[in-house]
Amino acid sequence: DVKVTQSSRYLVKRTGEKVFLECVQDMDHENMFWYRQDPGLGLRLIYFSYDVKMKEKGDIPEGYSVSREKKERFSLILESASTNQTSMYLCASSSYRDEQYFGPGTRLTVT
Amino acid sequence: SQQGEEDPQALSIQEGENATMNCSYKTSINNLQWYRQNSGRGLVHLILIRSNEREKHSGRLRVTLDTSKKSSSLLITASRAADTASYFCALEWDKIIFGKGTRLHILP
């Protein structure tokens, strides 16, 4: 079975802190994605990557950066956390143009 | 801009009835996918239908795609309590965009 794991289920950070969210997949997928999910807004794509060291901006990249140094790992970085980044963060992976497999999510609260 | 629009936003039906939800979009796609999210759980892929396909089945699920109308429907037959969830369509072309979802509630 495909497994996508995220480093934390729940995270509480203070405004201005640097936050790292990590995602690891074990199926040798080329593609990895970071989304945030907010009530009434659905899933919004933050960044995605189609290969190692490659990244593309999604619909809402402002305030975020990503890193993909290894194929199986895709990290989301909040350089200076703000309260409007309080959200559920979901990581996913897929093979080329195929179904996405999602991790369990990280619920981040920024106070 | 491209976006999947699900309809209805919320749906309540009796257990055993069929549930239909729709997804409309604006521009050409490579494929359209449906996902389910149960309360407190992650998203799970249900069906992927490619742009050259018109209908796909998986168990009690039936998905249709009409590229001329730029719309898709997800039919769940003989609904069960466990089908209570949010359902999302996702459009794939040079990236992937999710809709805001339909909340389905199955009444006992």
Side-chain angles (χ1 to χ4, degrees):
Chain A
D1 279 352
V2 175
K3 196 167 185 181
V4 179
T5 57
Q6 296 184 226
S7 50
S8 304
R9 291 299 301 271
Y10 300 94
L11 207 53
V12 180
K13 295 292 182 180
R14 293 191 182 275
T15 300
E17 280 192 82
K18 191 169 186 176
V19 181
F20 293 87
L21 303 181
E22 295 208 322
C23 175
V24 178
Q25 50 96 3
D26 65 359
M27 282 300 292
D28 201 35
H29 284 163
E30 300 83 6
N31 308 330
M32 297 190 74
F33 307 82
W34 275 107
Y35 298 89
R36 63 177 283 176
Q37 184 176 24
D38 301 287
L41 297 178
L43 274 78
R44 292 180 291 167
L45 182 62
I46 304 172
Y47 269 97
F48 59 103
S49 169
Y50 287 154
D51 202 352
V52 177
K53 296 189 185 295
M54 177 270 180
K55 60 185 179 183
E56 292 286 344
K57 292 180 180 179
D59 295 317
I60 52 163
E62 296 79 18
Y64 304 94
S65 63
V66 290
S67 172
R68 193 167 181 198
E69 296 296 318
K70 294 184 178 181
K71 190 175 185 179
E72 69 270 18
R73 188 180 299 269
F74 193 35
S75 301
L76 180 70
I77 303 153
L78 287 66
E79 294 289 343
S80 178
S82 63
T83 55
N84 62 12
Q85 292 178 311
T86 291
S87 187
M88 171 68 83
Y89 289 88
L90 295 168
C91 174
S93 72
S94 74
S95 289
Y96 179 69
R97 287 188 171 164
D98 210 343
E99 64 188 271
Q100 294 192 12
Y101 293 86
F102 281 83
T106 295
R107 187 167 295 281
L108 173 66
T109 302
V110 182
T111 61
Chain B
S1 61
Q2 182 72 292
Q3 186 175 5
E5 297 277 352
E6 286 103 338
D7 173 58
Q9 290 186 348
L11 180 62
S12 292
I13 60 171
Q14 295 294 137
E15 192 169 10
E17 293 181 341
N18 296 341
T20 300
M21 53 205 85
N22 304 292
C23 175
S24 59
Y25 58 95
K26 294 180 180 177
T27 61
S28 297
I29 57 174
N30 295 315
N31 67 58
L32 187 147
Q33 304 174 36
W34 285 93
Y35 289 80
R36 180 184 66 214
Q37 185 176 38
N38 298 97
S39 177
R41 297 187 180 183
L43 277 95
V44 174
H45 179 265
L46 297 176
I47 288 184
L48 181 154
I49 186 165
R50 303 195 187 278
S51 58
N52 61 352
E53 297 175 311
R54 292 297 168 257
E55 188 170 312
K56 285 189 88 169
H57 296 256
S58 176
R60 294 183 296 112
L61 307 180
R62 172 178 170 252
V63 167
T64 60
L65 178 64
D66 186 333
T67 53
S68 65
K69 294 182 179 179
K70 294 186 170 54
S71 68
S72 174
S73 67
L74 170 66
L75 169 67
I76 304 172
T77 60
S79 63
R80 304 169 181 170
D83 295 327
T84 293
S86 290
Y87 293 81
F88 297 88
C89 67
L91 314 171
E92 196 274 331
W93 70 111
D94 59 350
K95 57 181 178 179
I96 187 163
I97 296 292
F98 280 77
K100 296 181 181 180
T102 292
R103 295 186 308 280
L104 175 64
H105 184 57
I106 307 300
L107 303 168

